[in-house]
Amino acid sequence: MSLLPVAVVISGRGSNMEAIARASLSGTSRYRVVRVIADRDSAGGLGRATALGIPTSVVPVKQYADRASFDAALAAELDASGARLVALAGFMRILSAEFVQRFEGRLLNIHPSLLPRYKGLDTHARAIAAGDTQHGASVHYVTAELDGGPVIMQGRLRLQPSDTPEAVSARVHTLEHIIYPHVCSLIAAGRIECRNGAVFFDGAPLAAPLIQENDAAA
Ligand code: GRF
C-alpha cells in the first residue's frame, strides 16, 4: 500500500504535528509525514519531530526580504520533500495568493474556532465574551481568504460561563489532535477531496462539515 506523503508546516510547539505524525506511525493511516518545516529555528515542534524520526527543515522567515521570497522558498522546500498534502499546524504566517493557488486543493489548516465564527486571533476569549455555548476547532482547505476556505471537519465542545481561555484552549487542543489526523486519513484514503473549491466526501458534495462531538471535554 502506498502512503500519501504529507508535510506539516509549523511555527510553534507542534502538538498538532505530533498528533498527525503519531497517527501515521501507528500504521492505521494511509499517509506518512515526510517532512516538518518551521519558519523559525526556535519552533518547539522541531524537537518533537526529530524525536519521532521525521526529517525537519527551517525556512527562516527573518532571512527573507518580503512575503513573496519567503513563500517561494517554502514552496521549494515543500516540493523537494515530495509531499502531496500540506498541513499547516500552528503556522503563524499569512501566505500569498500565489502560494495558495500553487497548492490549491492539497493545503490544509486547523483553526481554533467553529468557522466561520472567529476568524483570526484570540478565538477562545472572543467565544467566551460572546456567551457562546458551543466552541471548537475546524480543519479546512486553505484559500486566499484568511481562515475562509471550505471546512472539512469540526470538533465541538460545550462552553461553560466559568470557562477561561486557557482552560478552553487545552480542551480545544484535545479535539484538534483527534480531528486533524482523522482528516489526513480520510484524504489519504481518497474519501475526502477538494474539487473546484468544494469539499467532496465519498464522491458527494459535503453540505456541512463532518462533526466530532466531545461533550466529555465540556
Ligand atoms: C492550534 O490551536 C491551532 O488551531 C492553531 O494554532 C495552534 C497550534 O498548536 N492554528 P500546536 O502548535 O499544534 O500545539
Side-chain angles (χ1 to χ4, degrees), residues 67 70-71 91-97 99-100 144-146:
R67 183 179 296 175
F70 171 80
D71 284 5
F91 179 61
M92 298 305 288
R93 304 274 308 164
I94 294 175
L95 294 161
S96 61
F99 182 98
V100 171
E145 185 196 344
L146 182 67

Side-chain angles (χ1 to χ4, degrees), residues 8-10 14-17 19-20 86-92 107-115 118 120-121 123-124 136-142 146-147 150-155 171-184:
V8 186
V9 185
I10 64 171
S15 70
N16 279 284
M17 175 280 300
I20 291 168
V86 179
L88 307 180
F91 179 61
M92 298 305 288
L107 183 60
L108 301 174
N109 185 41
I110 187 157
H111 183 75
S113 77
L114 297 176
L115 290 171
Y118 310 123
L121 300 175
T123 56
H124 309 314
S138 305
V139 177
H140 64 95
Y141 283 108
V142 175
L146 182 67
D147 300 329
V151 178
I152 303 164
M153 184 177 289
Q154 293 183 321
R171 299 204 324 263
V172 168
H173 262 100
T174 300
L175 273 175
E176 291 183 338
H177 300 163
I178 297 168
I179 63 174
Y180 216 172
H182 194 178
V183 169
C184 292

